[in-house]
Amino acid sequence: MDQEFGGTGPRLRATNPDMGQHLQAIYDTRVAEGLLRPDPAQRAVLLLLEDLRESLEDRPVQPPKGLLGRFFKPTIPEGVRGLYLWGGVGRGKSMLMDLFYAHTGIAEKRRVHFHAFMQEIQSALHEARKTGVEDALKPVAEGVAKNLRLLCFDEMQITDITDAMIVGRLFEMLFQEGVVIVATSNRPPDDLYKDGLNRQLFLPFIKQLNETLDVHEIASITDYRQDRLTGAQTYFSPANAKARVAIDEIWKDLTGGKSEKLVLEVKGREVPLPNYWAGMARADFWELCGQPLGPADYLALVGAVKLLVLENVPRLDSSKFNEAKRFVTLVDSLYEARTHVIISAEETPERLYLEGSGSFEFERTASRLREMQSADWATE
Ligand SMILES: Nc1ncnc2c1ncn2[C@@H]1O[C@H](COP(=O)(O)OP(=O)(O)OP(=O)(O)O)[C@@H](O)[C@H]1O
Ligand SMILES: [Mg+2]
C-alpha cells in the first residue's frame, strides 16, 4: 500500500527530472528550445492547469497502514475543480492537457480518448447487466473510479444517443467518487450533442458540466497544426523509403512520438485505427481502402480525425476497381470535412487511376487531392 499511495509522488519525481516543476517553466523551456511558439492564450490555460496540478499533488491525507488501508480511498482536497477546455482546432488543447498530465506527480491518473472511454463503459455495462445487478452503471462507475483521482479526456464529443443517455449519471458518480475530470473539446458544453435525438434529456448533463468544471475557452488565434504543415510537403510520390522517412519525421513532430489505438464503431462494424493520437491517424492504403468499408465508415473516420496520414496508395486500375472506388469515397469525405491529409502514393494524383471504370470521374478526385495540398487547406 505504501508503494501505491504514499510512495508514488517522490518515485515519479525521481524518474522524471521535470516533475514538480511549474508547468509554465516547462512550457518556457520548450519555447526556448524552439519546440513551441509562445502564446498568451496557452499560458492562461497553463495557470489553470498549474493550480490544478498543485491541488492534486497536495494530498494531506496519508493512507492508514494495515487492515484499514485496504478500505482507504485517496481523497482529493476539497474544492478541486476539474477543467473543460474548449476551442478551435489546433489551438494546443491536447498538447497542454498532455503536458499537465505528464507532469502531475500522482499515480492515480488516467488519460483516455473520450470515444474509447465510452466504448469501454458500454462493454462494461453489458457485462454488469449479465450479473442481474439492479443499477449496472454503479459498479461500472465504481470500477472506473477505483484508485483514480484524475481522469483526462481528449476530444470530448457526443454523437451517440446511448452515450448521451448515460454520460450524465456516469459523470455524477465519478464526481461523487472524487474523480477530477479534465477534458478537451472543440465545442463548449452548451453545444455538446447539438441537434441530437432526445436532446432535452441531455440538458441536465450540460448544466452539471457547467457547474462542476471550470469551463475555459482557449482564445488562441493560431491553428498550430496548420502552422506546422504550412510549407511541409504533404504528397509524396513515389511511396519509397525516402517518403517513409520524411513522413515519419512529420508524424513525430505532430504527435511527439505518441500513439494509441482507436476503434471506430459504425453500424455494428469495427474500424480500427491502430496508429492514432490526439485527432490524428496514420494508416496504410490497404487498411482503409482494401477492406469492405463504405461511406458511413469514412464519415465516422473524418468525424474522428483532423489529420489523416495515408501511406502507400498504389497505382490503381480495373483490377483494383473496388479499392479505387473506396479511395474516391474516402477522398470525397476528407475533402468535405476539410481534413488535413498527408499521402504517399506510387504516382502523382493525375496518374493514379488512368484506366478502369470511373477513371474519367477520378479527375475530380485528383483535382481535390491537389487542392488539399495547398498551403491554406483547412484554414478556418
Ligand atoms: N505554441 C505552439 N507552438 C508550436 N506548436 C504547437 C503549439 N501549440 C500546439 N502546437 C502543436 O500543434 C499541433 C496541434 O496541437 P493540439 O493537437 O494540441 O491542438 P488541439 O487544440 O488539441 O486541436 P484539436 O481541436 O484539433 O484537437 C500539435 O502538433 C502541437 O504539438
Ligand atoms: Mg486535440
Side-chain angles (χ1 to χ4, degrees):
M1 291 311 264
D2 261 341
Q3 254 272 323
E4 207 175 334
F5 296 122
T8 308
R11 189 156 51 87
L12 281 177
R13 275 190 194 102
T15 50
N16 185 344
D18 282 346
M19 203 58 84
Q21 254 196 69
H22 276 213
L23 298 178
Q24 292 95 320
I26 299 166
Y27 182 88
D28 287 343
T29 308
R30 300 208 176 154
V31 169
E33 287 168 353
L35 298 171
L36 292 175
R37 279 177 35 204
D39 184 323
Q42 292 186 342
R43 279 188 204 283
V45 175
L46 284 172
L47 284 177
L48 302 173
L49 289 171
E50 176 59 26
D51 270 356
L52 196 50
R53 183 187 76 88
E54 286 171 18
S55 309
L56 282 164
E57 286 183 1
D58 174 25
R59 184 164 45 85
V61 188
Q62 285 303 311
K65 295 220 159 60
L67 195 62
L68 256 181
R70 273 207 260 147
F71 304 102
F72 179 81
K73 173 126 189 60
T75 51
I76 297 172
E78 289 228 355
V80 177
R81 284 163 71 84
L83 178 69
Y84 183 102
L85 180 61
W86 70 276
V89 296
R91 274 20 183 208
K93 300 178 296 296
S94 301
M95 182 276 289
L96 294 167
M97 190 178 76
D98 288 342
L99 187 83
F100 158 76
Y101 179 79
H103 294 93
T104 296
I106 60 170
E108 304 90 356
K109 61 179 181 176
R110 187 174 172 208
R111 178 222 188 263
V112 61
H113 187 274
F114 186 72
H115 181 66
F117 177 75
M118 289 311 290
Q119 279 175 347
E120 188 185 305
I121 295 296
Q122 295 291 359
S123 63
L125 269 177
H126 187 72
E127 289 306 311
R129 283 189 193 115
K130 283 190 199 159
T131 67
V133 62
E134 202 180 308
D135 181 7
L137 197 56
K138 200 159 179 286
V140 170
E142 281 167 3
V144 170
K146 196 162 174 247
N147 290 341
L148 194 68
R149 292 163 58 212
L150 170 65
L151 186 52
C152 292
F153 289 126
D154 200 25
E155 307 251 324
M156 182 152 172
Q157 56 167 336
I158 290 159
T159 48
D160 185 307
I161 182 151
T162 42
D163 287 349
M165 293 306 114
I166 60 163
V167 75
R169 281 194 62 229
L170 174 65
F171 270 47
E172 196 180 328
M173 289 176 185
L174 293 177
F175 289 138
Q176 272 165 10
E177 292 283 323
V179 176
V180 172
I181 288 175
V182 175
T184 79
S185 178
N186 289 123
R187 295 166 176 237
D190 293 348
D191 287 352
L192 284 174
Y193 195 53
K194 213 174 177 185
D195 307 321
L197 215 59
N198 287 335
R199 186 155 192 272
Q200 73 284 2
L201 299 176
F202 184 78
L203 298 178
F205 175 57
I206 294 181
K207 189 163 172 272
Q208 180 195 34
L209 280 183
N210 280 317
E211 284 171 4
T212 325
L213 303 178
D214 279 334
V215 176
H216 181 87
E217 179 185 8
I218 179 163
S220 174
I221 47 163
T222 311
D223 175 351
Y224 289 102
R225 189 175 300 119
Q226 169 73 39
D227 213 51
R228 279 175 182 254
L229 289 171
T230 302
Q233 190 176 347
T234 52
Y235 193 98
F236 296 82
S237 66
N240 55 15
K242 208 171 136 208
R244 170 117 202 146
V245 170
I247 291 178
D248 277 348
E249 216 162 277
I250 302 175
W251 182 249
K252 186 146 186 273
D253 177 58
L254 288 168
T255 61
K258 291 176 250 165
S259 111
E260 64 184 343
K261 181 176 175 181
L262 184 70
V263 180
L264 307 175
E265 271 168 16
V266 191
K267 296 182 182 160
R269 280 190 308 279
E270 291 198 338
V271 183
L273 298 173
N275 206 352
Y276 175 91
W277 189 256
M280 297 172 283
R282 183 173 179 178
D284 191 84
F285 174 84
W286 294 100
E287 287 175 83
L288 292 183
C289 301
Q291 316 290 333
L293 300 179
D297 303 290
Y298 298 134
L299 206 62
L301 174 77
V302 300
V305 308
K306 291 140 189 165
L307 178 140
L308 176 70
V309 178
L310 186 68
E311 289 181 283
N312 304 317
V313 181
R315 187 185 299 118
L316 298 157
D317 58 28
S318 49
S319 73
K320 296 197 189 82
F321 170 68
N322 284 327
E323 288 80 1
K325 201 168 144 216
R326 290 186 202 117
F327 183 62
V328 168
T329 313
L330 172 60
V331 172
D332 282 345
S333 308
L334 293 165
Y335 183 86
E336 264 139 42
R338 301 196 72 77
T339 312
H340 287 290
V341 288
I342 297 174
I343 291 182
S344 73
E346 202 172 337
E347 294 283 359
T348 59
E350 293 73 19
R351 297 187 56 80
L352 271 177
Y353 188 52
L354 290 174
E355 46 176 283
S357 171
S359 56
F360 177 73
E361 287 77 14
F362 195 84
E363 266 184 39
R364 187 179 55 124
T365 305
S367 143
R368 289 187 157 188
L369 283 170
R370 283 268 170 223
E371 188 184 341
M372 288 157 97
Q373 293 166 53
S374 59
D376 60 353
W377 174 250
T379 46
E380 284 163 299

